[in-house]
């Protein structure tokens, strides 16, 4: 901890430049909640992102923009009273499952993406919403660029270095006819999920128009079941069981003290069906 320097810049350019300081071990601090587990910190320079104005939630042309510094409790409070066809409502349900209220006030959406674990509810919901991540890349041709969240997952450590910052997430416009659901299994109702699932489904009169399903707790990172959506498009819901069985057969969930791989696969099926019923 000796010679640890702390900065609180007010512009993204300054924050990025500090994080890219040559020959230094730098670390961005968002909610700071992961520091609790990191007694060594392993950094010479801490860069606090709290003054960058990245805590806005805005809507533009049907898209939802959520700044990287938006915390989980803000998502809970903003989305709580919204209808089931609003992406903020889905983010509210998932954010609620991230932690108890005290920690929800610290955990930011940027930090949750940077440190996503297997069963992250908020990352699972963002995958179902087909979200993109807005990055600040100081050495890129365009300093601001968007990448698909699904493409970033698993590569955060490689991407988020040398001054690269998550600025926020963008949820694309989604039909108002869509119903968005989230469900989980956990040791207790208030606990972090063992398995969770989120879905965005637009039903026509009798046929599914579009469907996106994501599941957490069945792989190293939450996964989108893209093939399931492709197979069920323009089909009646009665085809769900068969399509879901083949999608789940592709998974190879890990086993640990919280549940075996078979249990996780079975629960993923139960939750997806519950969301679509
Ligand atoms: C009691 C407790 C329980 C926890 N349980 C879990 C759990 O079950 N699962 C889990 O995954 N985590 C858990 N955590 C760890 C922590 O809460 C999460 O990792 C959280 O998502 C971090 O969010 P944060 O905003 O606090 O990020 P920070 O702790 O501030 O940062 C985390 C990392 O992300 C990077 N980062 C943050 N924001 C950005 C950004 N905008 N751009 C680029 N990089 C960024 C930081 O540099 C840092 O390396 C727990 C923590 C506590 C205290």
């Amino acid at each position: 901890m000796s010679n640890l320097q702390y900065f609180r810049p007010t512009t993204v350019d300054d924050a990025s430049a500090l994080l890219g300081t040559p020959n230094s071990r730098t670390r961005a601090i968002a909610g700071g909640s992961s520091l609790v587990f990191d007694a060594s910190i392993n950094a010479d320079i801490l860069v606090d992102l709290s003054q960058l104005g990245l805590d806005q939630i805005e809507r533009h042309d049907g898209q939802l923009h959520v700044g990287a510094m938006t915390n989980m409790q803000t998502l809970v409070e903003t989305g709580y009273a919204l209808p089931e066809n609003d992406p903020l409502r889905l983010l509210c349900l998932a954010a609620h499952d991230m932690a108890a209220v005290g920690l929800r006030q610290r955990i930011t959406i940027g930090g949750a993406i940077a440190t996503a674990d297997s069963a992250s509810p908020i990352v699972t919901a963002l995958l179902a919403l087909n979200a993109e991540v807005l990055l600040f890349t100081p050495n890129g041709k365009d300093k601001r660029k968007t990448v698909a969240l699904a493409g970033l997952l698993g590569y955060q450590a490689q991407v988020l270095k040398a001054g690269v910052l998550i600025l926020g997430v963008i949820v694309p416009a989604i039909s108002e006819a869509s119903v968005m659901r989230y469900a989980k299994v956990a040791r207790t109702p208030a606990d972090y999920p063992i398995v969770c699932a989120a879905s965005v489904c637009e039903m026509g009169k009798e046929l599914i128009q579009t469907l996106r399903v994501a599941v957490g707790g069945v792989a190293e990172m939450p996964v989108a079941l893209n093939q399931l959506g492709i197979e069920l498009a323009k089909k009646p819901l009665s085809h769900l069981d068969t399509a879901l069985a083949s999608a789940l057969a592709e998974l190879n969930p890990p086993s640990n003290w919280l549940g075996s791989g078979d249990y996780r696969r079975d629960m993923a099926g139960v939750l997806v069906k519950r969301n679509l019923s």
Side-chain angles (χ1 to χ4, degrees), residues 54 66-69 109 113 132-135 165-170:
L54 296 178
V66 182
M69 289 297 289
I109 200 161
I113 291 171
E132 293 186 315
V133 180
L134 180 60
L135 295 177
L165 280 169
I166 298 172
L167 298 179
V169 295
I170 301 172

Side-chain angles (χ1 to χ4, degrees), residues 129-202:
L129 292 166
N130 203 16
E132 293 186 315
V133 180
L134 180 60
L135 295 177
F136 183 87
T137 54
N139 301 322
K141 198 169 155 212
D142 286 324
K143 285 191 175 175
R144 286 163 196 255
K145 69 169 187 183
T146 52
V147 296
L149 172 62
L152 178 65
L153 289 180
Y155 298 97
Q156 296 100 315
Q158 290 98 307
V159 174
L160 300 175
K161 60 182 186 185
V164 177
L165 280 169
I166 298 172
L167 298 179
V169 295
I170 301 172
V171 176
I174 295 174
S175 161
E176 287 185 4
S178 299
V179 172
M180 304 173 196
R181 298 256 171 84
Y182 168 84
K184 72 161 178 187
V185 284
R187 290 171 301 176
T188 68
D191 203 6
Y192 197 71
I194 302 169
V195 179
C196 63
S199 65
V200 178
C201 180
E202 182 188 356

Side-chain angles (χ1 to χ4, degrees), residues 27-37 49 54 68-69 98 103 106-117 160 164-167 192:
R27 182 159 174 189
I29 298 295
S33 59
S34 62
L35 280 183
V36 175
F37 292 130
L49 307 181
L54 296 178
M69 289 297 289
M98 287 292 286
L103 199 49
R106 302 250 39 106
I107 297 174
T108 64
I109 200 161
I113 291 171
T115 62
D117 72 355
L160 300 175
V164 177
L165 280 169
I166 298 172
L167 298 179
Y192 197 71

Side-chain angles (χ1 to χ4, degrees), residues 5 29 61 122 139 141 150 218:
Q5 292 181 280
I29 298 295
D61 301 326
I122 197 74
N139 301 322
K141 198 169 155 212
V218 294

Side-chain angles (χ1 to χ4, degrees), residues 119 185-187 191-195 254-261 263-264:
V185 284
R187 290 171 301 176
D191 203 6
Y192 197 71
I194 302 169
V195 179
S255 293
N256 65 16
W257 60 280
L258 283 169
S260 68
Y263 170 79
R264 289 166 185 272

